[in-house]
Amino acid sequence: QQIARMAVYFSQAVQQSFIGSKSLVLLDWHRSYGLLAVAFKDEHSDADGLVNFYSDEGEALKSASIHRSVMTESLQWHPDKKIIAIGWQSGEITTYSDTDHEIFEQSSIHRAAVGFLQWNKAGSRLISGDKSGLLVVWRVEPRGQLHPIPLHQHRIQPLMHCVLHTTTLPSDRPRPGDISVLEAYSWQRKSEPNPETNSICCFCASSEGVVYYLNNSGECLERFRVGGQVHSFLFSAEKQLLVVITTDMNLIQFASNMDGQLSQTSKVKLSGRNKSSQIRWTEGAQLASCSNENTIRLWDLENTENYALNIHQYIQAIPNEAVTCIDYEPKRGILAAGTNGGNVLMWQWVGTNVGESQTGGTDKWEFKTFTSVGIPVDQVKWGTDKQLLGVSCGGTVQILSEQVMNTHLNDEVSAVQVSPTEMVVECHKTGMIHSLRTDVNIKGTFVTKEYLAVWSGKKVAVYSFSQDKPQTRVAGTFAAETSNVAVYEQNLYTASKTQVEVRTFQGTLKQSLVFTEQEGNLESMTVVGQYLVAGTTAGVVKAWDISRREPKATGSINLAGILPKCPRLTSVKCNCNGSKVSILLQKDNGCLQLTIWDVESDAVRVFSPASLTSPPEGDTINGATATLPDVTESALVEQKRLCVELERLCILSHHWDASDPQLLVCLTRPDNQERRQSEDGRGMKQGSEHGHALTVLFVTQYMNVVVNSIVPMETFYSGFIGISIPYLYFGRKPRSLVAMENVAANSSDPASVVARQTVRDFVGLEQGDARALQAMLSFSFNSTVGNMDEAFKAIKLIKSHTVWENMAKMCVKTQRLDVAATCLGNMGNARAAKVVRESRSIPEMEARLAVLAVQLGMLVDAEQLYLKSKRYDLLSQFYQASGQWQKALEICELNDRLHLKTAYHCYGRYSEALGAIPAAINSYEQAGTHRFEVPRMLLDDPVELENYVMKSKDKSIRKWWAEYLESMGDFDMALQFYETAKDYLSMVRILCFSDNLQRAISVAEESGCKAAAYHLARKLSIDGDKQDIAKAIHFYIKAQCYGPAIQLAKEHSFDDHLMNLALLSSQENMVDAAKYFEGNPSTQDKAIMLYHKAGEVSKALELCFEHQQYDVLEQLAEDLTEHSDPAMVGRMAGFLVSHEQMEKALNLLVRTRRYGEALDLCMDKHVTITEELAERMTIPKGANESEDEAKKKNELLEKLAECCMAQGSYHLATKKFTQAGNKTKAMKALLKSGDTDKIVFFAGVSRQKDVYILAGNYLQTLEWMKDPEIMKNIISFYTKGKAMELLAGFYDACAQVEIDEYQNYQKAVGALNEALNCLSKAKGKNQAAIEAKITFLKERMALVEKFAKARSLYQEDPEESVRQCSALLDEHSLDAAVRVGDVYGLLIEHYSHVGNYQQAYALMGELHDRLPTINLAFYVDAKTIETIHKALGIPLGRGVGGGGVVTHKLPGNEIEEEDAEEVDDEGA
């Protein structure tokens, strides 16, 4: 009997369409269509060739059969169309189109057997080569006919092999065969021309080992000679690697570039038989070969590895059974091998990394299944996307098609298909196992307590069986077109295309449940208890209650009208009470989507992991829902963690529990694996795919979905069958596979094909009654949603210690420490409860869980949790407690060096307790505690202790041993060990005790040990003579113990030693020695010095004054500070002044912060205050300075500044006034310095009104009329100082300068106008005076404007100008505004110019009368005066004009000043 597998390959022999005996030559599958071409020949003659064509079901295509009188040499299908090219032994090439059923012949070129035919990638070209060496490239017409004139032909050596030179898709593109390939690259076919449409690039190999390259230009180039006949010729487009294998089994690798250039990369000798070898590419750069041996050899060319798959490790092969042929299907990674024993074996690539491989590479392949065809196999060939395998067995051909092994679980009875026609039924309550062999190729099964139904799609068979007896019988069999069958009581429900038919077991139709054309074709049907549910391709789902005579419809829903873009329905399942239906919908990407339908409320919820932790309204359609109960924080965290994990999983199938209407289990796999066809509920795929897991869900009455757990499926299970609390039911792998995985089967019965695994929460309740199981279900649900009150209320009656323990262990997995505390309490484990409660102080959740795991004996889990939490200190303690000391020490070495010594110490105590003394010693030494622990440990074994001490070089150990010998009275040996330990104090102590003072002195001198010197000094000072006292003082000094030495020196009058000792000693000893010297009049200088060194400066000064030690006094003055006695400071300062030491006295006063007295001294004694001295007398600003302190500091600064002022240090005075905050005085000091730049700068930064005014006043004293920058600063300072009257006065002065110096009355008017504006803004106490000034200024400005206007009018209207000037002379206040001489000068010039000399002379007289003291030539040009005098005949010296510098000219008659001077000189 063949052991159960959850997927097998059915064997279907093709229909023979010929008469007679034929043997198969070639077979080839079309890669897109289910077409198989088979070439036969006559067994008795090579002169008869036949090519037949078959469908994927083995049916011969009657319209397609090609017969020739010669044998077929080669054949190959077109890559896309239903066209095949056939090469014959005679050189003819035949093309046949299965679409048009046309045959085309081409026989004009080749004259020898056509060795190969090769279509290009697009199918537009055909490359042929014959055994005479003719290589031909044909153009192919759309219908498959070859153009009569070849594109290219070359005569070379006889040809045997040809491979296309192609490139692979980029790595970011999907693999061929992926569901989304067409959609992902549909745009390319529309927008990008395919460069390989007419490509003919290929490599060809001759029988003599010459490799040629045919490029797109039609050139045939020789590339390489391999040196032998070619056996196999392979090219990897992915790796761009060409592999040539010769008949003597040499493997040569070539790397190819885009131009077909080859470079040899390696050459190796292969093992195996040469003539019968078959070699194929497998995954990556791996080659598989068979050569009529019992092994398949594989070579990893990339990693230079080789290994073998031995068929005897996987099947019980017949003697001398060998592999005869192989083929590889790259889409799913399946390697098929045929044997001469009639078996076809299959392995699947699982791709273990090279670094992880422990079995030489065989773990990279997982054995899937084997099928027996009964006849030796000579060829195997994979074909089409339907995963069909063509098998050649002599003259027959069989097609192996993969069939999902069908299973069903109902009422604790399971049915498992173990072969195409065999079922195993297991009654799990009684343990009875029935094996049924049928005459039906089983494609589905349904089981109840008494009946088993199987069907093939065209035939249905029903069997009855006994629960407790090995009895089975046929209950009925009939022919019917059906896709699904279910059984309820004595009725059989069969699913046809458009209806559910109710039949008897013999096939009699009793009733039909019809679906309309709009509702679609029936896709899935199931019966659970008394409820029938069916779903259609249009998304319509209906439910019936079939417990009555007439089925009663309980609900109906159309998903296409509810869900947007409703995916295709593939499976429906119903819970045990018919209230909810789970539906699997296949999305566009191939993944299955779970949808829940509530039959009573018609509410639909789409299962989405992202929405599980939120209220379901967003995912619930057609009905209002309630939210989840209150969820505790830890439960919510667990739900979120599970949801994150669920987002990476893809659903394969769904199963409701047989008793609980809320419990739903889904089989899932990682979403990143290659998508495979999902289950439809009747069966499962073969094998436990890597990463498969069971997701346990609870679906509440309000359509809430919560995740209970995600359980990984063990590798020794082949698939999931169903759930019936308290068990999960799995299909078992064949025992040969289980044995290879070193995993024991889950059933003791060898005939059992089903394994049961207890659901996690129900461990310990396997034999529990229904009440206990229901209580545990309630607990499981409520604990999942966090309702712990209801959870514990549900299980309060359960008393099983095992149940509580398993629940506590479950808490480790679910991270529920709150639940664990209750479980431990019910277990009565007080110690564990206390430890878990104390672990709350640990911040890491994983570490707290590890503490719980340790208490429950889950040591492996505890170790992993400690590692995950990175609490290496706790992990080390765990290893120590569990006796894993090496791991504990390693973890401390790598991650917890802080506790490394502690770990070594604990290991030492552990080793000591075990009696492993050497290990304990080594551990104590590593811990650094050996100095105490080893002597303690070896104290009862003196010999071992002495040996250890002798070997040890540790000083502490040797010192301890010396002390031990000393305590035993062995002083000589103790001295030796003290010496090796360099404990000189103990040596001197023993020597003094032994009265060996000479050696003690020698040890103390040579060692330099202070403690030894002190001990020896004390020994010498007791009852010693004067010489010993001197030695004692010497050793006290070496020990730096000066107090006892001073005391000895005083007692024995060693005054010459006393001073030096006191200077080396502390302040207290210095004062003590100073008092000693003070009592002796001849040593007062020593007393003063010691007081001074001890910091008693006042006492030292008193002694200086008392004993008139003035030389010492000046030295001591430098040590006085502000804290010194004021009277003493004053006395010292007076002393320095009296001795004309003004600078020292001043420094003393400043150092003691007596700044007032220092300033008085500077003033009285005319001591110049430097900047450095001034800074020293400036008190720094304190952080918490009081107002009184600030006031005193400012007063001192002002006094210092005034002193600097008195000494002429104006800049320094300015600085100190500024520091005192008196900027006005600072400016006054700066004004005295006359430093204009600093004055301007200081005024700008001071920002004070008074300072601005002072600066402006100062700048007016300068020659501002020559420097515009000064004028600008004056105006700015008066403006900023708001001194409008002063600014007006300055503008008035500017106007007067314009009149007096430049006679520019226009600018004078502007200046007067500015002055008027300033006065109008002026605000002061005497407003009347300001108004008077304004009135006067207006009158003056009016007169100036009149004269300026008259002057400017002279060029245009001289008479009017003269009239206005004459009128001006009558103004009584003209002298205050305009120079009168300027008016007369204009008139005199005018009359002289017009020849009225008499009038001009008269005006000269009036001017002379009005201004008798002025020189007329100052206002009138000298030449004009001379002209007037000459015209009137008046001598120049006697007239009113007497010469002088000319400063006035008529407008338009200006002359240079130099010319005027010359005229003046001539006049003189």
Side-chain angles (χ1 to χ4, degrees), residues 844 846 864-873 895:
E844 294 82 7
E846 293 83 358
Q864 294 302 318
L865 287 167
Y866 277 133
L867 284 170
K868 187 177 180 180
S869 69
K870 296 184 179 180
R871 285 301 301 269
Y872 301 111
D873 54 337
N895 304 105

Side-chain angles (χ1 to χ4, degrees), residues 365-377:
W365 298 91
E366 179 184 2
F367 182 65
K368 304 298 291 182
T369 186
F370 73 93
T371 301
S372 176
V373 295
I375 306 173
V377 180

Side-chain angles (χ1 to χ4, degrees), residues 1030-1043:
K1031 292 180 180 179
I1033 294 174
H1034 168 72
F1035 283 108
Y1036 275 132
I1037 294 173
K1038 287 184 71 67
Q1040 297 182 1
C1041 296
Y1042 302 109

Side-chain angles (χ1 to χ4, degrees), residues 583-656:
I583 308 162
L584 289 185
L585 304 173
Q586 187 172 35
K587 297 187 290 186
D588 293 338
N589 62 1
C591 275
L592 295 179
Q593 174 181 290
L594 178 65
T595 303
I596 309 296
W597 170 39
D598 188 290
V599 179
E600 297 176 356
S601 65
D602 262 3
V604 175
R605 176 162 189 179
V606 178
F607 176 82
S608 173
S611 66
L612 291 183
T613 55
S614 61
E617 286 81 3
D619 294 305
T620 304
I621 307 168
N622 253 17
T625 62
T627 59
L628 289 172
D630 292 335
V631 180
T632 62
E633 182 179 354
S634 57
L636 184 60
V637 170
E638 175 66 8
Q639 283 293 299
K640 290 181 177 179
R641 183 187 69 82
L642 292 172
C643 289
V644 170
E645 192 172 345
L646 267 179
E647 288 178 351
R648 300 193 294 266
L649 300 177
C650 188
I651 296 175
L652 297 178
S653 63
H654 54 145
H655 308 265
W656 290 93

Side-chain angles (χ1 to χ4, degrees), residues 996-1002 1004-1005 1012-1022 1024-1041 1044-1045 1048-1049 1052 1054 1057 1061:
N996 193 350
L997 294 180
Q998 290 301 321
R999 187 178 176 190
I1001 292 172
S1002 175
E1005 287 284 1
Y1014 179 79
H1015 184 85
L1016 180 59
R1018 289 197 60 189
K1019 174 67 176 176
L1020 293 172
S1021 63
I1022 298 173
D1025 54 15
K1026 192 169 185 179
Q1027 186 176 1
D1028 291 338
I1029 295 300
K1031 292 180 180 179
I1033 294 174
H1034 168 72
F1035 283 108
Y1036 275 132
I1037 294 173
K1038 287 184 71 67
Q1040 297 182 1
C1041 296
L1048 278 178
H1052 297 85
F1054 284 94
H1057 291 80
L1061 289 171

Side-chain angles (χ1 to χ4, degrees), residues 358-389:
Q358 302 294 325
T359 58
T362 57
D363 55 351
K364 299 177 183 179
W365 298 91
E366 179 184 2
F367 182 65
K368 304 298 291 182
T369 186
F370 73 93
T371 301
S372 176
V373 295
I375 306 173
V377 180
D378 49 48
Q379 286 189 53
V380 289
K381 184 76 173 181
W382 285 106
T384 77
D385 291 337
K386 296 182 179 179
Q387 310 304 326
L388 303 176
L389 182 69

Side-chain angles (χ1 to χ4, degrees), residues 119-361:
W119 296 92
N120 72 341
K121 194 170 184 179
S124 62
R125 301 289 186 267
L126 179 67
I127 305 168
S128 62
D130 62 30
K131 295 183 179 181
S132 68
L134 183 61
L135 179 66
V136 182
V137 180
W138 305 89
R139 185 172 61 209
V140 183
E141 301 296 338
R143 293 165 55 195
Q145 183 179 5
L146 302 183
H147 197 278
I149 302 176
L151 291 174
H152 310 284
Q153 57 181 326
H154 300 277
R155 175 68 64 178
I156 50 180
Q157 294 186 4
L159 297 172
M160 299 296 294
H161 306 278
C162 179
V163 290
L164 287 179
H165 180 212
T166 58
T167 56
T168 58
L169 296 174
S171 59
D172 59 337
R173 300 189 183 184
R175 290 182 59 180
D178 282 358
I179 293 174
S180 58
V181 168
L182 294 179
E183 292 85 313
Y185 292 98
S186 60
W187 59 269
Q188 279 195 337
R189 293 192 292 274
K190 298 177 182 178
S191 59
E192 293 183 2
N194 189 348
E196 298 184 350
T197 300
N198 298 320
S199 173
I200 57 173
C201 295
C202 63
F203 292 102
C204 302
S206 72
S207 59
E208 301 301 323
V210 181
V211 178
Y212 298 95
Y213 181 70
L214 180 66
N215 60 26
N216 281 327
S217 301
E219 299 175 306
C220 186
L221 308 173
E222 181 178 328
R223 289 298 191 216
F224 205 86
R225 290 179 179 266
V226 296
Q229 292 186 1
V230 177
H231 176 274
S232 297
F233 198 59
L234 305 168
F235 180 76
S236 170
E238 180 182 0
K239 303 292 183 181
Q240 288 295 297
L241 188 68
L242 180 68
V243 175
V244 181
I245 302 174
T246 63
T247 53
D248 54 358
M249 299 306 287
N250 283 321
L251 186 149
I252 309 167
Q253 295 183 57
F254 299 93
S256 170
N257 62 10
M258 299 299 293
D259 298 328
Q261 297 289 339
L262 297 178
S263 59
Q264 182 176 332
T265 57
S266 68
K267 181 177 181 180
V268 295
K269 179 73 173 178
L270 302 180
S271 59
R273 302 170 184 173
N274 56 355
K275 292 184 180 181
S276 57
S277 294
Q278 282 194 13
I279 300 177
R280 298 287 185 271
W281 282 116
T282 61
E283 196 69 22
Q286 293 196 76
L287 291 176
S289 76
C290 65
S291 53
N292 280 326
E293 298 175 327
N294 58 9
T295 59
I296 300 174
R297 303 181 187 275
L298 293 110
W299 295 280
D300 189 338
L301 303 183
E302 200 168 39
N303 299 306
T304 64
E305 287 188 347
N306 63 85
Y307 52 94
L309 301 173
N310 192 315
I311 62 173
H312 292 282
Q313 295 178 352
Y314 305 100
I315 62 173
Q316 294 180 353
I318 62 176
N320 300 321
E321 184 171 0
V323 179
T324 57
C325 52
I326 57 173
D327 198 23
Y328 183 68
E329 199 282 302
K331 198 172 298 182
R332 291 196 307 166
I334 296 180
L335 177 64
T339 72
N340 55 10
N343 290 316
V344 178
L345 295 84
M346 296 182 188
W347 292 264
Q348 185 168 30
W349 171 261
V350 294
T352 305
N353 292 331
V354 174
E356 299 174 0
S357 178
Q358 302 294 325
T359 58

